[in-house]
Amino acid sequence: MSRLARWRTPIAFAMLILVVLWVGQNGYRQDLAILMVTYGLISLGLYSHYIMGNSMSVAYNAYVAIGGYALGVLCVRTDLSMFLALPIGIVISAAVAVLLGLTTYKLSGFYLAAVTLLFGEAFAAWLVDSTGITGGASGVTLTRGLTLFGSEVTRQHLVIAALVTLFLAAWGLDRLRTSPFGIALRAKGDAPRAVESSGVSTRALTLVSLGIGAGLGAVAGWYFAAVNLSMLPESVPLSVAFVALFIPFLGGYRSPWGAVVGAVVVTELTFNLTWFQDTGTLAFAIAVLVVLIFARRGLLGLLGDVLAWAVRLIRRDGPLHKEGRDHVQPSA
Amino acid sequence: MSSPALSCQGLHKAYGGVRAVHGVSFHVSRGEVVGLVGPNGAGKSTVVDLISGEQPADTGTVKVADRVLSGTAARRAKRAKLARTFQYPQVAHELTALENVLIGAYATTFSGPLSFASTIVRGLVDPRAERLRRRAEEMAGSLSLSDLDRPASELTLGQLRLLEAARALSQDPEVVLLDEPFAGLDGDGIQGLSRAIRTMADAGCAVLLVDHNIDIVVSLVDRVVLMADGEVRFDGDPAECMASEEMKEVYFGDD
């Protein structure tokens, strides 16, 4: 484990606390935070099956919508606790992803991406057409607030919970990545025959990773709807999945924390740099290209390289090294 | 030696009009190392693929411990405790050498849908799975495979073969299929792998060894199955095989 990798979780935890303090009760910062969490969770979802398992499924607008609409529909049509919508959304999303994965199992690469893209587009159309369930083009508006054990859950609470969820999702994926499941999943992309011949079903690995990804998408949708008190068909357009697809590459694809770093950068670029907003995703694409060309391991990789360089520099000029160098000076 | 651990009966495989394997039958007993030899195109690797489930046989059966094997390679590997290596090493180049070996050790934790779920949960709690990691490290060490933290993409062909062998052995198999494991190995590698194969066989494992290097095979195996043109030409003692007419015919022609 590298020096930086060992400190990833404590650094991320410290960052989480700082972000929570920074967000506070400021509505604009809460908007930024929830957008970052949405991007982050979608990117982590993609990370679980695309970066780790080499299976590209881009129907994230559908998975996020399922999470958001599960909350909206449960709120409007039932008296049940709105927290129930979270597991319901996760299960439905994961089931849809697994079903989609089963039907497209023989497909891979571009073809799998194309089919899931088509599904995402069809799902978006269905959201608008199914007025009886989804409220059609006007979507669903939450008619009551969230309560937990009789206490009201405020927007600030939700944003903090969303940030903690993002932290936990990245932490969990980071652990899964080096676990038996993660190693088998990562090997599947490069050496599926080896994995199969070892007795691990590559199909099962693919489906489970797709399910994990879709589940994370649903969580993002739930938070998005809970914080914004509504869910519309255009809340999470298909293009979000494409932006999210590149976020791990921007942040650093060798660790799920890279997806979080990428999400922070994209959110900041989208909201605070107006030139970026004006020129749309083209500027983002250029930024990703620049990173991929000059820092192929993403921003985290670049940071790791800079730290390693700095450590080498300090050691070279440090007193210990000078002493050592004096000892090996040739006598001539 | 006791009852056959692995037996093949009347295996046939054709690709269009080309007959790759034709009526191949043989067995490997527990604790036995059997060499499957023959010239290029004899059908040896196809037989290994048919046994492991990489390819379906047109006709014929494969049994492990009297149980007919069917289904995917993963299913066969899991149910029959079958492990294999490949003629062209199949390794995940992005992973380290140790992680590649670990795939074999970890495979034992994926034995069904429930264990799949529990493997994920346990992975969250204890991602390093120290016990299995130590086992993989020991296995790699026994094959003189060093630099385990290096990415597999930086390994030589010989090291990749050892890595595949270590992965297969980490599965704690009862039947092992080794497809040209000695190709590209240096002297130390050959010695280490030979020792590991013998140790496995002594522990009761059935080993089917496919290799071009007749000298190594004959020095290592208990029995030889000679193949040519998709058929078995000889099945018996290595020394008898070397002296047989079939061997001369297959390798040197009728003249």
Side-chain angles (χ1 to χ4, degrees), chain A residues 231-324:
Chain A
M231 194 71 191
L232 305 171
E234 66 268 25
S235 292
V236 185
L238 194 54
S239 59
V240 166
F242 289 104
V243 174
L245 197 60
F246 291 101
I247 284 176
F249 292 106
L250 182 66
Y253 67 88
R254 292 205 172 176
S255 157
W257 293 113
V260 179
V261 170
V264 173
V265 172
V266 167
T267 306
E268 188 58 26
L269 288 177
T270 312
F271 265 70
N272 285 343
L273 296 178
T274 49
W275 62 267
F276 179 82
Q277 220 169 353
D278 291 342
T279 50
T281 49
L282 181 63
F284 169 66
I286 292 169
V288 171
L289 271 178
V290 168
V291 167
L292 286 181
I293 292 168
F294 294 105
R296 290 194 64 195
R297 292 192 290 127
L299 296 173
L300 273 188
L302 185 66
L303 180 65
D305 290 345
V306 169
L307 282 179
W309 174 79
V311 167
R312 273 201 306 274
L313 200 69
I314 291 165
R315 282 187 179 164
R316 194 182 305 156
D317 295 338
L320 279 175
H321 194 274
K322 274 182 184 165
E323 273 178 30

XYZ file of all heavy atoms in Angstrom, chain A residues 231-324:
721
model
N -39.272 15.479 -7.722
C -38.520 14.713 -8.725
C -39.219 14.893 -10.066
O -40.417 14.611 -10.198
C -38.487 13.224 -8.329
C -37.474 12.417 -9.086
S -35.786 12.847 -8.569
C -34.844 12.008 -9.837
N -38.478 15.375 -11.030
C -39.030 15.622 -12.364
C -38.336 14.724 -13.376
O -37.206 14.275 -13.133
C -38.794 17.084 -12.771
C -39.305 18.163 -11.817
C -38.800 19.526 -12.250
C -40.828 18.144 -11.769
N -38.964 14.480 -14.519
C -38.306 13.641 -15.529
C -36.949 14.207 -15.948
O -36.027 13.462 -16.251
C -39.292 13.653 -16.698
C -40.607 13.947 -16.097
C -40.337 14.842 -14.927
N -36.857 15.564 -15.964
C -35.589 16.155 -16.418
C -34.611 16.427 -15.267
O -33.562 17.035 -15.469
C -35.845 17.447 -17.209
C -36.438 18.593 -16.408
C -37.956 18.605 -16.462
O -38.548 17.535 -16.692
O -38.541 19.677 -16.244
N -34.972 15.978 -14.048
C -34.075 16.218 -12.905
C -32.695 15.625 -13.146
O -31.674 16.238 -12.837
C -34.658 15.615 -11.630
O -35.812 16.291 -11.238
N -32.681 14.414 -13.652
C -31.397 13.761 -13.927
C -31.414 13.279 -15.379
O -31.846 12.176 -15.681
C -31.158 12.564 -12.981
C -29.779 11.977 -13.212
C -31.291 13.007 -11.536
N -30.950 14.126 -16.289
C -30.958 13.728 -17.696
C -29.905 12.655 -17.983
O -28.996 12.428 -17.180
C -30.632 15.022 -18.440
C -29.906 15.856 -17.445
C -30.423 15.478 -16.101
N -30.057 12.040 -19.127
C -29.139 10.959 -19.522
C -27.694 11.448 -19.587
O -26.755 10.702 -19.334
C -29.593 10.407 -20.890
C -29.015 9.080 -21.349
C -29.217 7.996 -20.306
C -29.636 8.656 -22.664
N -27.549 12.749 -19.917
C -26.192 13.289 -20.082
C -25.392 13.219 -18.779
O -24.159 13.183 -18.807
C -26.257 14.735 -20.580
O -26.987 15.519 -19.657
N -26.085 13.177 -17.647
C -25.381 13.101 -16.357
C -24.522 11.844 -16.294
O -23.400 11.863 -15.776
C -26.400 13.128 -15.189
C -25.733 12.719 -13.880
C -26.978 14.515 -15.038
N -25.058 10.754 -16.851
C -24.305 9.497 -16.835
C -23.004 9.636 -17.617
O -21.977 9.066 -17.240
C -25.150 8.375 -17.414
N -23.044 10.410 -18.707
C -21.829 10.570 -19.510
C -20.796 11.426 -18.785
O -19.605 11.155 -18.853
C -22.177 11.185 -20.871
C -22.920 10.224 -21.736
C -24.276 10.344 -21.918
C -22.256 9.159 -22.320
C -24.972 9.427 -22.682
C -22.945 8.238 -23.082
C -24.309 8.363 -23.270
N -21.294 12.469 -18.111
C -20.374 13.286 -17.316
C -19.767 12.406 -16.218
O -18.552 12.390 -16.007
C -21.110 14.499 -16.701
C -20.191 15.262 -15.752
C -21.602 15.431 -17.805
N -20.644 11.635 -15.552
C -20.188 10.784 -14.447
C -19.202 9.718 -14.914
O -18.324 9.301 -14.165
C -21.381 10.126 -13.771
N -19.353 9.319 -16.168
C -18.476 8.283 -16.720
C -17.009 8.713 -16.696
O -16.113 7.903 -16.494
C -18.920 8.020 -18.166
C -18.466 6.756 -18.854
C -18.950 5.538 -18.106
C -18.995 6.732 -20.285
N -16.793 10.026 -16.875
C -15.414 10.513 -16.952
C -14.892 11.014 -15.610
O -13.709 11.293 -15.473
C -15.306 11.619 -17.999
C -15.483 11.102 -19.390
C -16.677 11.257 -20.056
C -14.457 10.403 -20.018
C -16.852 10.754 -21.332
C -14.625 9.886 -21.286
C -15.827 10.065 -21.953
N -15.797 11.141 -14.658
C -15.391 11.688 -13.358
C -14.296 10.840 -12.692
O -13.303 11.393 -12.201
C -16.627 11.879 -12.446
C -17.401 13.120 -12.906
C -16.236 12.013 -10.982
C -18.696 13.369 -12.150
N -14.414 9.496 -12.684
C -13.328 8.719 -12.067
C -11.992 8.893 -12.783
O -10.937 8.858 -12.151
C -13.807 7.263 -12.199
C -15.275 7.363 -12.359
C -15.519 8.627 -13.098
N -12.034 9.103 -14.098
C -10.778 9.306 -14.824
C -10.156 10.649 -14.449
O -8.943 10.784 -14.385
C -11.019 9.246 -16.334
C -11.403 7.877 -16.793
C -12.707 7.592 -17.141
C -10.469 6.855 -16.849
C -13.079 6.323 -17.540
C -10.829 5.582 -17.242
C -12.127 5.317 -17.591
N -11.028 11.635 -14.242
C -10.541 12.959 -13.852
C -9.940 12.892 -12.442
O -8.833 13.375 -12.192
C -11.704 13.966 -13.884
C -11.397 15.412 -13.546
C -10.480 16.020 -14.602
C -12.679 16.228 -13.456
N -10.647 12.260 -11.538
C -10.190 12.221 -10.147
C -9.091 11.197 -9.920
O -8.225 11.384 -9.070
N -9.136 10.113 -10.659
C -8.155 9.034 -10.481
C -8.867 7.700 -10.403
O -9.568 7.445 -9.429
N -8.678 6.880 -11.421
C -9.471 5.651 -11.529
C -8.934 4.492 -10.680
O -9.559 3.458 -10.576
C -9.587 5.227 -12.998
C -8.283 4.781 -13.610
C -7.865 3.468 -13.532
C -7.461 5.691 -14.271
C -6.667 3.058 -14.077
C -6.255 5.298 -14.824
C -5.875 3.981 -14.726
O -4.683 3.587 -15.254
N -7.765 4.687 -10.078
C -7.202 3.570 -9.307
C -7.790 3.436 -7.917
O -7.426 2.523 -7.173
C -5.681 3.713 -9.218
C -5.038 3.510 -10.563
C -3.633 3.065 -10.418
N -3.102 2.700 -11.712
C -1.853 2.337 -11.914
N -1.027 2.301 -10.907
N -1.440 2.001 -13.106
N -8.657 4.358 -7.573
C -9.305 4.289 -6.265
C -10.690 4.917 -6.369
O -10.869 5.907 -7.088
C -8.455 5.047 -5.241
O -9.264 5.441 -4.153
N -11.668 4.372 -5.653
C -12.995 5.000 -5.662
C -12.961 6.432 -5.144
O -13.809 7.233 -5.500
C -13.806 4.105 -4.720
C -13.096 2.804 -4.701
C -11.648 3.119 -4.891
N -11.962 6.752 -4.322
C -11.860 8.138 -3.842
C -11.638 9.086 -5.005
O -11.972 10.271 -4.923
C -10.725 8.271 -2.820
C -11.007 7.537 -1.541
C -10.356 6.442 -1.075
C -12.034 7.825 -0.577
N -10.896 6.022 0.109
C -11.930 6.860 0.447
C -13.012 8.798 -0.490
C -12.777 6.837 1.542
C -13.863 8.780 0.611
C -13.744 7.811 1.608
N -11.073 8.577 -6.086
C -10.885 9.398 -7.283
C -12.219 9.888 -7.826
O -12.311 11.031 -8.318
N -13.245 9.038 -7.723
C -14.576 9.434 -8.195
C -15.107 10.587 -7.352
O -15.765 11.503 -7.868
C -15.524 8.236 -8.131
N -14.806 10.543 -6.060
C -15.269 11.615 -5.168
C -14.529 12.909 -5.501
O -15.138 13.982 -5.614
C -15.055 11.222 -3.681
C -15.508 12.345 -2.762
C -15.810 9.942 -3.369
N -13.210 12.805 -5.676
C -12.414 13.991 -6.034
C -12.920 14.573 -7.352
O -13.120 15.789 -7.492
C -10.907 13.622 -6.141
C -10.107 14.769 -6.741
C -10.352 13.257 -4.770
N -13.168 13.693 -8.326
C -13.683 14.131 -9.624
C -15.026 14.826 -9.486
O -15.291 15.849 -10.134
N -15.874 14.288 -8.623
C -17.208 14.876 -8.417
C -17.088 16.276 -7.823
O -17.823 17.192 -8.211
C -18.040 13.972 -7.506
N -16.158 16.436 -6.889
C -15.942 17.761 -6.285
C -15.497 18.749 -7.364
O -16.023 19.863 -7.471
C -14.874 17.685 -5.161
C -14.527 19.077 -4.658
C -15.379 16.817 -4.012
N -14.550 18.311 -8.188
C -14.011 19.209 -9.232
C -15.108 19.588 -10.225
O -15.277 20.770 -10.567
C -12.828 18.523 -9.965
C -12.384 19.339 -11.170
C -11.661 18.332 -9.008
N -15.883 18.601 -10.674
C -16.929 18.877 -11.667
C -17.993 19.803 -11.082
O -18.447 20.742 -11.740
C -17.560 17.544 -12.168
C -18.843 17.821 -12.945
C -16.574 16.815 -13.038
N -18.378 19.565 -9.836
C -19.389 20.426 -9.199
C -18.879 21.858 -9.113
O -19.595 22.810 -9.424
C -19.715 19.908 -7.781
O -20.072 18.539 -7.884
C -20.862 20.675 -7.170
N -17.650 21.978 -8.709
C -17.057 23.305 -8.574
C -16.997 23.994 -9.947
O -17.374 25.162 -10.087
C -15.641 23.172 -7.980
C -14.954 24.471 -7.608
C -15.736 25.306 -6.606
O -16.533 24.734 -5.824
O -15.563 26.523 -6.626
N -16.574 23.258 -10.958
C -16.495 23.828 -12.307
C -17.880 24.221 -12.813
O -18.074 25.282 -13.394
C -15.873 22.800 -13.270
C -14.387 22.518 -13.140
C -13.965 21.437 -14.119
C -13.572 23.764 -13.391
N -18.851 23.364 -12.558
C -20.202 23.583 -13.089
C -20.862 24.801 -12.470
O -21.528 25.565 -13.154
C -21.080 22.343 -12.817
O -20.352 21.199 -13.224
C -22.376 22.400 -13.585
N -20.670 24.973 -11.164
C -21.390 26.047 -10.470
C -20.604 27.349 -10.362
O -21.177 28.423 -10.471
C -21.772 25.582 -9.057
C -23.154 25.029 -8.987
C -23.451 23.814 -9.580
C -24.168 25.727 -8.356
C -24.723 23.305 -9.529
C -25.453 25.215 -8.316
C -25.734 23.993 -8.901
N -19.314 27.238 -10.134
C -18.571 28.449 -9.781
C -17.746 29.062 -10.903
O -17.252 30.156 -10.765
C -17.666 28.173 -8.576
C -18.488 28.112 -7.305
O -19.628 28.577 -7.280
N -17.943 27.532 -6.267
N -17.539 28.316 -11.965
C -16.812 28.907 -13.086
C -17.796 29.073 -14.243
O -18.149 28.105 -14.908
C -15.630 28.012 -13.503
C -14.540 27.835 -12.446
C -13.464 26.905 -12.946
C -13.928 29.187 -12.087
N -18.222 30.291 -14.437
C -19.305 30.525 -15.394
C -18.896 30.200 -16.826
O -19.710 29.760 -17.623
C -19.775 31.989 -15.326
O -18.635 32.810 -15.386
C -20.555 32.269 -14.053
N -17.615 30.392 -17.126
C -17.188 30.087 -18.503
C -17.403 28.614 -18.800
O -17.747 28.217 -19.899
C -15.723 30.467 -18.725
C -14.754 29.719 -17.850
C -14.274 30.112 -16.653
C -14.175 28.441 -18.106
N -13.429 29.179 -16.130
C -13.344 28.132 -17.003
C -14.261 27.520 -19.159
C -12.627 26.951 -16.927
C -13.533 26.347 -19.085
C -12.733 26.069 -17.969
N -17.245 27.801 -17.756
C -17.440 26.361 -17.944
C -18.913 26.072 -18.214
O -19.261 25.318 -19.120
C -16.986 25.623 -16.693
C -17.173 24.138 -16.786
C -16.255 23.359 -17.441
C -18.285 23.533 -16.240
C -16.432 21.986 -17.544
C -18.475 22.168 -16.336
C -17.537 21.402 -16.980
N -19.761 26.727 -17.424
C -21.197 26.518 -17.575
C -21.652 26.945 -18.969
O -22.462 26.285 -19.599
C -21.923 27.336 -16.520
C -23.099 26.604 -15.914
C -23.624 27.339 -14.690
O -23.043 28.307 -14.239
N -24.717 26.876 -14.168
N -21.087 28.080 -19.417
C -21.508 28.605 -20.712
C -21.105 27.687 -21.855
O -21.848 27.521 -22.815
C -20.890 29.999 -20.943
C -21.512 31.016 -19.993
O -22.591 30.711 -19.456
O -20.904 32.074 -19.789
N -19.924 27.125 -21.760
C -19.466 26.300 -22.873
C -19.876 24.839 -22.712
O -19.532 24.011 -23.533
C -17.929 26.357 -23.002
O -17.382 26.099 -21.714
C -17.476 27.704 -23.512
N -20.606 24.528 -21.667
C -21.164 23.186 -21.512
C -20.115 22.133 -21.250
O -19.026 22.425 -20.746
N -20.449 20.929 -21.639
C -19.583 19.806 -21.283
C -18.317 19.752 -22.139
O -17.424 18.956 -21.861
C -20.336 18.479 -21.457
O -20.961 18.474 -22.725
C -21.358 18.269 -20.363
N -18.241 20.606 -23.161
C -17.043 20.609 -24.005
C -15.804 20.941 -23.170
O -14.774 20.275 -23.277
C -17.209 21.627 -25.140
C -16.043 21.722 -26.117
C -15.848 20.396 -26.858
C -16.262 22.854 -27.107
N -15.931 21.951 -22.316
C -14.803 22.348 -21.466
C -14.427 21.218 -20.513
O -13.252 20.954 -20.266
C -15.153 23.602 -20.677
N -15.463 20.553 -20.007
C -15.201 19.421 -19.110
C -14.457 18.322 -19.862
O -13.490 17.739 -19.356
C -16.535 18.897 -18.557
C -16.412 17.577 -17.849
C -15.689 17.461 -16.679
C -17.016 16.442 -18.366
C -15.560 16.256 -16.034
C -16.902 15.224 -17.732
C -16.178 15.142 -16.560
N -14.907 18.068 -21.097
C -14.262 17.027 -21.906
C -12.796 17.375 -22.142
O -11.925 16.509 -22.072
C -14.999 16.870 -23.233
N -12.536 18.659 -22.403
C -11.146 19.085 -22.625
C -10.330 18.887 -21.348
O -9.197 18.408 -21.387
C -11.103 20.563 -23.097
C -11.713 20.653 -24.496
C -9.680 21.110 -23.094
C -11.967 22.066 -24.976
N -10.944 19.238 -20.218
C -10.247 19.063 -18.935
C -9.897 17.592 -18.717
O -8.779 17.261 -18.305
C -11.126 19.569 -17.795
N -10.847 16.708 -19.034
C -10.592 15.276 -18.867
C -9.463 14.835 -19.805
O -8.551 14.096 -19.417
C -11.872 14.452 -19.145
C -11.561 12.960 -19.202
C -12.913 14.707 -18.072
N -9.522 15.334 -21.046
C -8.488 14.969 -22.018
C -7.106 15.405 -21.544
O -6.145 14.649 -21.617
C -8.783 15.630 -23.368
C -9.673 14.828 -24.321
C -9.918 15.628 -25.592
C -9.026 13.490 -24.660
N -7.040 16.624 -21.024
C -5.758 17.156 -20.530
C -5.231 16.266 -19.406
O -4.062 15.871 -19.387
C -5.916 18.620 -20.042
C -4.687 19.070 -19.275
C -6.167 19.532 -21.231
N -6.141 15.907 -18.486
C -5.730 15.057 -17.366
C -5.288 13.687 -17.873
O -4.262 13.145 -17.447
C -6.884 14.925 -16.336
C -6.592 13.804 -15.352
C -7.052 16.231 -15.583
N -6.045 13.136 -18.820
C -5.706 11.795 -19.317
C -4.364 11.786 -20.053
O -3.633 10.804 -20.021
C -6.810 11.270 -20.237
C -8.096 10.826 -19.548
C -9.092 10.300 -20.557
C -7.818 9.753 -18.499
N -4.067 12.900 -20.721
C -2.808 12.960 -21.473
C -1.624 13.217 -20.535
O -0.601 12.542 -20.619
C -2.879 14.053 -22.568
C -3.880 13.630 -23.654
C -1.512 14.296 -23.189
C -4.257 14.729 -24.626
N -1.802 14.180 -19.623
C -0.657 14.589 -18.804
C -0.599 13.909 -17.432
O 0.443 13.923 -16.783
C -0.646 16.118 -18.641
C -0.412 16.824 -19.942
C -1.457 17.454 -20.605
C 0.836 16.817 -20.533
C -1.256 18.094 -21.827
C 1.053 17.448 -21.751
C 0.008 18.079 -22.396
N -1.715 13.381 -16.990
C -1.719 12.677 -15.700
C -2.680 11.499 -15.827
O -3.822 11.580 -15.392
C -2.155 13.614 -14.591
N -2.196 10.447 -16.426
C -3.090 9.345 -16.806
C -3.773 8.695 -15.607
O -4.801 8.062 -15.750
C -2.316 8.288 -17.600
C -1.939 8.788 -18.972
C -1.502 7.663 -19.851
N -2.585 6.722 -20.086
C -2.394 5.515 -20.575
N -1.199 5.098 -20.873
N -3.416 4.705 -20.769
N -3.189 8.843 -14.443
C -3.811 8.250 -13.261
C -4.733 9.250 -12.554
O -5.129 9.028 -11.419
C -2.751 7.703 -12.321
C -2.038 6.495 -12.931
C -1.187 5.761 -11.939
N -0.021 6.528 -11.559
C 0.310 6.785 -10.297
N -0.439 6.344 -9.320
N 1.391 7.475 -10.023
N -5.050 10.345 -13.221
C -5.998 11.309 -12.672
C -5.372 12.205 -11.618
O -4.169 12.152 -11.352
N -6.218 13.041 -11.019
C -5.700 14.028 -10.066
C -5.099 13.368 -8.827
O -4.082 13.821 -8.314
C -6.830 14.994 -9.662
C -7.383 15.854 -10.812
C -8.597 16.648 -10.359
C -6.307 16.796 -11.339
N -5.723 12.296 -8.359
C -5.157 11.599 -7.184
C -3.800 10.998 -7.514
O -2.879 11.029 -6.704
C -6.101 10.496 -6.707
C -7.196 10.875 -5.713
C -7.901 9.627 -5.204
C -6.620 11.646 -4.534
N -3.704 10.432 -8.713
C -2.428 9.856 -9.152
C -1.365 10.927 -9.235
O -0.221 10.736 -8.807
N -1.775 12.090 -9.774
C -0.850 13.220 -9.905
C -0.389 13.676 -8.518
O 0.795 13.911 -8.285
C -1.557 14.375 -10.628
C -0.723 15.602 -10.959
C 0.352 15.257 -11.979
C -1.617 16.720 -11.501
N -1.347 13.747 -7.603
C -1.027 14.153 -6.234
C -0.034 13.160 -5.611
O 0.940 13.557 -4.955
C -2.311 14.221 -5.398
C -2.161 14.632 -3.939
C -1.667 16.068 -3.832
C -3.494 14.488 -3.200
N -0.293 11.877 -5.835
C 0.601 10.836 -5.314
C 2.012 11.007 -5.869
O 3.001 10.905 -5.140
N 2.105 11.283 -7.183
C 3.409 11.460 -7.825
C 4.136 12.677 -7.249
O 5.334 12.625 -6.982
C 3.231 11.639 -9.338
C 2.793 10.349 -10.007
O 2.921 9.280 -9.354
O 2.309 10.399 -11.151
N 3.371 13.761 -7.059
C 3.983 14.984 -6.528
C 4.488 14.738 -5.105
O 5.606 15.129 -4.755
C 2.957 16.157 -6.554
C 3.474 17.352 -5.761
C 2.660 16.568 -7.987
N 3.674 14.051 -4.293
C 4.085 13.757 -2.919
C 5.336 12.880 -2.900
O 6.271 13.122 -2.130
C 2.949 13.073 -2.163
C 1.818 13.990 -1.672
C 0.741 13.179 -0.967
C 2.369 15.048 -0.716
N 5.320 11.854 -3.770
C 6.477 10.946 -3.824
C 7.734 11.723 -4.227
O 8.820 11.512 -3.682
C 6.201 9.818 -4.806
N 7.554 12.628 -5.193
C 8.674 13.456 -5.649
C 9.187 14.340 -4.518
O 10.389 14.449 -4.298
C 8.207 14.289 -6.845
C 9.212 15.280 -7.332
C 10.304 15.046 -8.111
C 9.205 16.690 -7.042
N 10.980 16.211 -8.335
C 10.340 17.242 -7.697
C 8.373 17.535 -6.315
C 10.641 18.591 -7.633
C 8.666 18.888 -6.246
C 9.791 19.399 -6.907
N 8.231 14.932 -3.779
C 8.601 15.808 -2.667
C 9.345 15.027 -1.588
O 10.357 15.492 -1.049
C 7.350 16.468 -2.090
N 8.857 13.824 -1.289
C 9.503 12.994 -0.270
C 10.925 12.642 -0.708
O 11.878 12.715 0.073
C 8.671 11.713 -0.013
C 9.477 10.692 0.790
C 7.380 12.057 0.722
N 11.064 12.298 -1.984
C 12.398 11.957 -2.504
C 13.338 13.163 -2.387
O 14.498 13.039 -2.016
C 12.293 11.525 -3.968
C 12.007 10.033 -4.148
C 12.407 9.562 -5.539
N 11.794 10.356 -6.591
C 10.591 10.127 -7.099
N 9.883 9.108 -6.637
N 10.108 10.865 -8.055
N 12.777 14.340 -2.717
C 13.568 15.572 -2.680
C 14.033 15.870 -1.257
O 15.201 16.184 -1.024
C 12.709 16.735 -3.203
C 13.451 17.970 -3.678
C 14.199 17.664 -4.960
C 12.470 19.120 -3.884
N 13.103 15.730 -0.305
C 13.434 16.011 1.094
C 14.495 15.032 1.583
O 15.469 15.404 2.233
C 12.162 15.929 1.971
C 11.240 17.097 1.644
C 12.516 15.922 3.450
C 9.830 16.937 2.162
N 14.336 13.760 1.216
C 15.302 12.749 1.677
C 16.682 12.984 1.077
O 17.699 12.777 1.715
C 14.810 11.356 1.294
C 13.728 10.876 2.239
C 13.382 9.462 1.972
N 12.352 9.020 2.902
C 11.635 7.946 2.730
N 11.814 7.193 1.672
N 10.730 7.601 3.611
N 16.673 13.432 -0.188
C 17.952 13.642 -0.861
C 18.727 14.784 -0.191
O 19.932 14.741 -0.036
C 17.723 13.970 -2.338
C 18.990 13.859 -3.170
C 18.722 14.241 -4.612
N 17.625 13.459 -5.178
C 16.883 13.869 -6.199
N 17.095 15.027 -6.751
N 15.921 13.105 -6.667
N 17.980 15.838 0.209
C 18.638 16.994 0.802
C 18.691 16.941 2.326
O 19.217 17.835 2.960
C 17.906 18.285 0.377
C 18.048 18.483 -1.118
O 18.997 17.909 -1.682
O 17.203 19.170 -1.722
N 18.100 15.899 2.903
C 18.042 15.797 4.362
C 19.400 15.497 4.967
O 20.324 15.063 4.267
N 19.540 15.719 6.284
C 20.827 15.521 6.961
C 21.299 14.065 6.911
O 22.476 13.808 6.723
C 20.546 15.962 8.398
C 19.057 15.953 8.554
C 18.503 16.223 7.203
N 20.342 13.130 7.014
C 20.725 11.712 7.009
C 21.391 11.342 5.694
O 22.420 10.684 5.651
C 19.482 10.835 7.215
C 19.042 10.687 8.663
C 17.752 9.903 8.727
C 20.124 9.991 9.477
N 20.737 11.830 4.629
C 21.263 11.496 3.321
C 22.623 12.128 3.077
O 23.520 11.531 2.499
C 20.271 11.944 2.242
C 20.591 11.324 0.917
N 21.492 11.887 0.057
C 20.151 10.190 0.343
C 21.590 11.118 -1.016
N 20.780 10.084 -0.866
N 22.759 13.383 3.602
C 24.048 14.059 3.428
C 25.162 13.278 4.114
O 26.227 13.069 3.556
C 23.963 15.483 4.007
C 23.417 16.488 2.999
C 23.385 17.864 3.593
C 22.736 18.839 2.598
N 22.365 20.070 3.240
N 24.828 12.785 5.350
C 25.823 11.980 6.070
C 26.201 10.758 5.264
O 27.355 10.437 5.057
C 25.248 11.525 7.413
C 25.455 12.535 8.515
C 24.824 12.061 9.804
O 24.764 10.842 10.006
O 24.394 12.922 10.583
N 25.135 10.084 4.786
C 25.367 8.872 4.005
C 26.214 9.167 2.789
O 27.122 8.418 2.451
